[in-house]
Amino acid sequence: MPTYKYKAISKLGEKLEGTYTAKNKNEVISMLRQNQNIPVKIEELIEKKDILSFDSLKKVKVKDIAIFCRQFYTMLNAGVTVLNVLDTLRLQTENKKLALVIGEVYEEVQKGLTFAESLKRHRKTFPDLLINMVEAGEVSGTLDIIMDRMAVHYEKENKITNKIKGAMMYPIILSIVSMLVVVFLLTFIMPTFVSMFEGSGVELPLPTRILLMISGIIINYWYFVFTALLLMIWGIKRYIGTSKGQFLMDHIKFKIPIVKGTTQKVITSRFTRTLSTLLASGIPLIQALDIVSRIVGNVIVEKGILKAKEDVRKGIDLATPIKQMGVFPPMAESMIRIGEESGALDEILDKTANFYDEEVEAALQKMTTLIEPIMIVIMAIVVGSIVIAMVMPMFDMMNTIQM
C-alpha cells in the first residue's frame, strides 16, 4: 500500500505532520477525522529504492533493541505519548530495518492497536520477552518502568554477547592464519621441492608422498577443493540449524572441560537476570518460566526449565527441579531457595545475576588464556609435520651421496 504524508490541524489548533500507509487518500482523511483533526494537505510519497543499499538486509541486534528501549523510556519518562515516541524513533533509529518496523508499528498504533498488539505482529524483530513485558506494562500502567528495565536487561545482554565474541576472536583468527600458512606451504613451497625429489632417484618416504599428493590436489583441483569446503560449511550450518544438530551442539558445550564452566555461567546469568526482570514486573512465575525457557539459548536447559514449570504448576518449589537439572551452580540453586523462602525471589535473582555477570567475564578470560596455548601447539604440530615431511627426503639424498 502507498504511504501518504499529511498536514492537519488538531482540535486545539496545533499543526500536525506525519505519514500514514493506506489504500487511498480517503482512508487517510477518515483516520484524521476520527482523531478529531482537520486535514489540510495530503500527498503520496514516492519511495526511491537504492539498489546498492544493503541497509534493509542488516539484522536487528541486541544492541539495537537496547538502544530502542532506552530511548523509548527516556521520552516516555519526559511525558511524550507512545505514538509520538514511535514517530520520533522511526525517523532517528540508525538501523534501517528496525526503523522500517518501528514505522509499521507507528501506523498500526495509529489505527487503534495497542503497542503490545502491534509488537506481536513483528515477532521476527522484537523478542518475546520484550513483547510480554510491554503487554504487562500497558495493563499495569507502568510502561515507562518496564522499558527502563528492558533497556538495562538488553544492555547487560549485549555486554555479555560482546565479551563472548571478543573471547572467541583470537582463536578464530589464529585458526584462519594456521590454514593460510598450511595452504601457502603446500601450494608455493612444496612445488619447488618436487623437481628435486623426482630427479634424486631416492624413494620418497610415505609422509612426503602423502604431502605431495595433497599439494597436487590443491594446485590442480583448487576449485573442487574450494567448492567442497563451501558445501561442507553449508552442510554443517544447516545441520546445526536443525533440532538434532542444536541438541548435539548444546550437549557438546557441557562436555568440553574448557567450555563447560563458561557455558554454565552464561546460562545462569541469563536465566536469573531474565526471570528477575519478569517477576519484578508482575509476570506470574509459571508464565515467566515459559518465557525464560525460550531465551536461555540452550535446548537442553530449555527442556529442563519447561519441566521445572510443570513441577511448579503441581505445587513444587522452583529450587527443587532447578537442582535436579544438574546445570546450574550450587550457589544459584541456594539463592533461588532463599528467595522463595523470603518472598523476595526477584531481588535475590537480580543479585545473583549481577554476581554471575562478573563470573562470566572471569570465565571468558580464563577460557581464552587456556585456548591460546592449545591453538599454538596445534598450529606448531601441523606446520612442523609439513616441514618434517619436506625435509625427510633431503636426509635420504645426503646419505645416498655419502655412500
Side-chain angles (χ1 to χ4, degrees), residues 291-328:
I291 297 169
V292 172
S293 67
R294 300 192 296 268
I295 294 170
V296 289
N298 189 289
V299 177
I300 297 172
V301 180
E302 179 183 349
K303 290 182 178 179
I305 294 174
L306 290 175
K307 182 180 179 301
K309 182 190 75 170
E310 296 304 319
D311 290 340
V312 172
R313 195 191 299 274
K314 295 175 184 176
I316 303 173
D317 60 312
L318 178 60
T320 300
I322 289 296
K323 184 177 182 180
Q324 291 173 351
M325 285 174 62
V327 172
F328 297 98

Side-chain angles (χ1 to χ4, degrees), residues 333-345:
E333 300 164 6
S334 300
M335 295 297 279
I336 290 172
R337 191 175 298 280
I338 293 169
E340 287 184 303
E341 292 173 355
S342 63
L345 183 58

Side-chain angles (χ1 to χ4, degrees), residues 73-117:
Y73 160 73
T74 302
M75 285 188 278
L76 272 184
N77 195 44
V80 183
T81 63
V82 171
L83 193 61
N84 288 335
V85 170
L86 291 170
D87 189 26
T88 303
L89 290 179
R90 72 193 176 98
L91 297 175
Q92 73 175 34
T93 300
E94 293 183 3
N95 186 302
K96 299 301 180 184
K97 184 175 182 179
L98 180 58
L100 288 172
V101 175
I102 294 173
E104 293 175 9
V105 172
Y106 167 74
E107 291 167 5
E108 289 163 0
V109 172
Q110 267 190 326
K111 292 177 181 178
L113 291 180
T114 65
F115 184 33
E117 287 172 342

